[in-house]
Amino acid sequence: MDQGGPISSETRINERIRVPEVRLVGPNGEQVGIVRIEDALRLAQEADLDLVEVAPQARPPVAKLMDYGKYKYESAQKARESRRNQQLTVIKEQKLRPKIDPHDYETKKGHVSRFLEAGNKVKVTIMFRGREQSRPELGFRLLQRLAEDVSELGFIESKPKQDGRNMIMVLAPHKNAKAKTKTTKNADSSGS
């Protein structure tokens, strides 16, 4: 017994709908009722529309009278709009050592601030070597200090935790950080 090819996920329209009867929905969303497929196709031709199967799993399947080309165009526009509104999350990483020089700390803090202003998350890693591993509180204090220094730009998304020889903390930007920085930059440029 031949089982046929793979089931197509494409929407069936007009003559491709091969069922004896369908539950017909009119072009304005009104319920017409259960109609023989021949009558539904005739109504579609008279209205110069397509018969589109919208719910093939239903018993009987639901078909709607509509302009299929316009429908496909609008659904593609909606898909494009939803993709445009998605935000891509980028995680930047900044590595520190427990015995960091004050000037180096300021430089690293500047990098973290820049990443947060750009709307990126920052994974801050403190690397312990040798005997430094017996003093994890040094790394914890350093991460807390960094989080306090950049608190106006971001917040701690995941608290500092020991991971083998490293201690890791993730900082995330505030929701409206991008909007704030843009407005302040615009105000600065217009005021000067």
Side-chain angles (χ1 to χ4, degrees):
M1 188 169 115
D2 183 28
Q3 291 292 316
I7 296 173
S8 171
S9 62
E10 196 176 321
T11 308
R12 292 187 297 207
I13 60 169
N14 298 333
E15 285 76 29
R16 289 200 176 142
I17 303 173
R18 293 199 169 93
V19 290
E21 56 187 19
V22 291
R23 181 177 301 276
L24 189 63
V25 178
N28 299 323
E30 69 277 4
Q31 295 288 331
V32 177
I34 297 173
V35 181
R36 286 183 25 243
I37 191 70
E38 297 83 19
D39 297 337
L41 284 168
R42 186 178 43 75
L43 285 169
Q45 283 177 340
E46 285 171 6
D48 198 26
L49 293 170
D50 297 307
L51 183 67
V52 182
E53 191 175 49
V54 289
Q57 293 81 17
R59 290 285 165 252
V62 179
K64 185 174 180 180
L65 295 173
M66 67 170 84
D67 184 346
Y68 187 62
K70 183 178 175 185
Y71 167 75
K72 274 187 77 167
Y73 173 76
E74 286 173 353
S75 61
Q77 290 291 82
K78 283 181 191 166
R80 189 176 299 125
E81 188 66 32
S82 68
R83 277 197 305 274
R84 186 182 306 147
N85 292 336
Q86 282 181 342
Q87 263 192 336
L88 190 67
T89 307
V90 180
I91 298 182
K92 302 283 191 174
E93 186 171 18
Q94 195 57 250
K95 294 186 175 183
L96 307 168
R97 296 285 316 280
K99 297 177 184 169
I100 191 169
D101 184 65
H103 180 265
D104 292 342
Y105 172 79
E106 290 300 320
T107 304
K108 300 279 187 177
K109 182 178 87 172
H111 293 318
V112 170
S113 299
R114 193 178 72 232
F115 294 149
L116 289 171
E117 280 175 1
N120 298 321
K121 291 184 179 182
V122 184
K123 176 180 168 186
V124 184
T125 306
I126 294 199
M127 302 173 296
F128 296 101
R129 283 199 208 136
R131 290 187 184 161
E132 293 172 349
Q133 291 179 50
S134 64
R135 302 281 307 277
E137 69 277 359
L138 292 174
F140 184 79
R141 279 201 299 258
L142 186 63
L143 288 174
Q144 289 294 350
R145 179 176 146 205
L146 180 66
E148 286 170 20
D149 288 347
V150 297
S151 61
E152 70 278 354
L153 297 170
F155 62 95
I156 300 175
E157 189 176 70
S158 71
K159 296 202 181 308
K161 54 180 171 276
Q162 190 79 28
D163 181 25
R165 291 176 166 226
N166 300 329
M167 186 175 279
I168 297 167
M169 170 179 80
V170 178
L171 296 169
H174 292 300
K175 290 279 183 245
N176 53 3
K178 272 187 175 177
K180 262 189 207 170
T181 55
K182 280 182 185 172
T183 53
T184 53
K185 282 181 185 173
N186 291 342
D188 291 344
S189 61
S190 62
S192 53

